[in-house]
Amino acid sequence: MTEQSGITSQETKQRKIALRKQILEERDKLTADERADKSAIICGKLQNLYQRMQLMFEQQDVSREQNGQRKAVLSYLPFRSEVDVLPFLRWCWEHRITVAVPRTQPEERRMTFHRIRSLEDTEVTSPYGIREPHPSLDELSDPSLVGLIIVPGAVFDADGRRIGYGGGYYDRFLADFAAVEQRPIGTGPNRRPPLVAPCFDLQITDTLPSEPHDITMDIILTEHREIVARDWY
């Protein structure tokens, strides 16, 4: 869905800003224990989703199955009151699944994803405590190697619409990375991986305002729900 008739782009932006502020304030009110408990449930769902995706991939591509290759995961590193996906990332490392996380390029307002094997491969790059991979680490930029893209955000709706944090980094990255055939998954190089948004149930709201450049999610996972906004198989 694009902007509603009669609503200007500036009005849409202002509605997004207000809604982002409201939901993030609610998310920040969760206690550390509440966030940990809810995050653990969501990480279990991420594990299940990855296993389902990998099984489908292996059934479709016998050559990679025989080589024992597993699809990589692109993920954010949790910050402040976001869903803590570290338990899922540790599960990936234990199962020898490649994990890549973003490093921002503020001058260009873009980001690249680099492979990490633990948090020791990251560094704090801002006074706010945001962690990013060391710039010397290998970049992962081939969509055919990726199984899941885990996308953070402030607010979502059941149709997969997303409001991010205002920087536009993920919209730009996903527009470039997914500039291939828009079917979420498949065996060929022109099938992008599914976009998965882990969030708390309180971050799901009614229909969001949207703009033409917005990228929608395929799947949203909360502590209570698995919302399939678009078929990923």
Side-chain angles (χ1 to χ4, degrees):
M1 179 183 293
T2 56
E3 299 174 51
Q4 297 177 9
S5 177
I7 298 178
T8 67
S9 176
Q10 186 58 35
E11 288 172 328
T12 298
K13 286 183 172 61
Q14 291 305 313
R15 289 170 63 193
K16 285 184 173 183
I17 290 170
L19 192 52
R20 178 191 299 122
K21 181 176 184 294
Q22 173 194 336
I23 296 299
L24 290 182
E25 286 177 351
E26 293 181 22
R27 193 180 74 181
D28 288 344
K29 291 177 183 177
L30 291 172
T31 67
D33 286 344
E34 287 173 330
R35 284 198 299 270
D37 290 345
K38 295 175 188 292
S39 294
I41 294 171
I42 295 168
C43 284
K45 294 182 178 184
L46 283 169
Q47 292 176 26
N48 179 268
L49 177 61
Y50 180 90
Q51 290 170 322
R52 285 153 51 198
M53 179 281 305
Q54 182 67 23
L55 177 61
M56 178 179 296
F57 171 69
E58 290 174 352
Q59 291 172 342
Q60 292 175 339
D61 193 334
V62 177
S63 63
R64 284 185 182 268
E65 179 186 10
Q66 290 174 340
N67 290 332
Q69 296 183 11
R70 295 186 175 185
K71 289 281 196 176
V73 171
L74 301 189
S75 176
Y76 67 90
L77 290 175
F79 177 63
R80 289 184 176 169
S81 61
E82 286 181 324
V83 171
D84 183 359
V85 294
L86 287 177
F88 172 66
L89 300 188
R90 293 189 181 101
W91 177 85
C92 289
W93 291 323
E94 290 171 3
H95 290 79
R96 298 183 180 180
I97 297 166
T98 296
V99 171
V101 296
R103 186 173 182 91
T104 56
Q105 301 167 5
E107 329 74 49
E108 302 174 8
R109 298 188 71 80
R110 293 188 177 275
M111 61 185 183
T112 52
F113 278 76
H114 301 259
R115 304 169 195 253
I116 63 170
R117 294 178 176 83
S118 73
L119 288 182
E120 293 182 2
D121 287 338
T122 67
E123 61 186 3
V124 176
T125 57
S126 84
Y128 303 104
I130 297 174
R131 301 196 71 86
E132 295 189 332
H134 297 305
S136 60
L137 295 172
D138 291 342
E139 182 181 345
L140 200 164
S141 58
D142 183 350
S144 70
L145 301 178
V146 179
L148 295 179
I149 302 180
I150 301 176
V151 183
V155 196
F156 302 89
D157 70 15
D159 291 320
R161 299 183 191 90
R162 166 186 175 270
I163 295 178
Y165 297 110
Y169 284 94
Y170 270 88
D171 284 326
R172 294 184 191 91
F173 171 77
L174 294 174
D176 292 340
F177 194 85
V180 291
E181 188 177 343
Q182 288 299 299
R183 277 180 265 178
I185 195 168
T187 58
N190 292 328
R191 305 291 182 87
R192 70 156 174 77
L195 308 179
V196 184
C199 66
F200 301 118
D201 218 54
L202 63 82
Q203 294 175 253
I204 305 294
T205 189
D206 294 334
T207 302
L208 293 178
S210 62
E211 299 172 273
H213 64 267
D214 290 341
I215 304 292
T216 58
M217 304 295 99
D218 300 309
I219 303 167
I220 300 172
L221 298 178
T222 79
E223 69 272 27
H224 297 307
R225 293 184 273 178
E226 177 177 323
I227 299 171
V228 179
R230 289 196 300 182
D231 288 339
W232 58 277
Y233 47 83

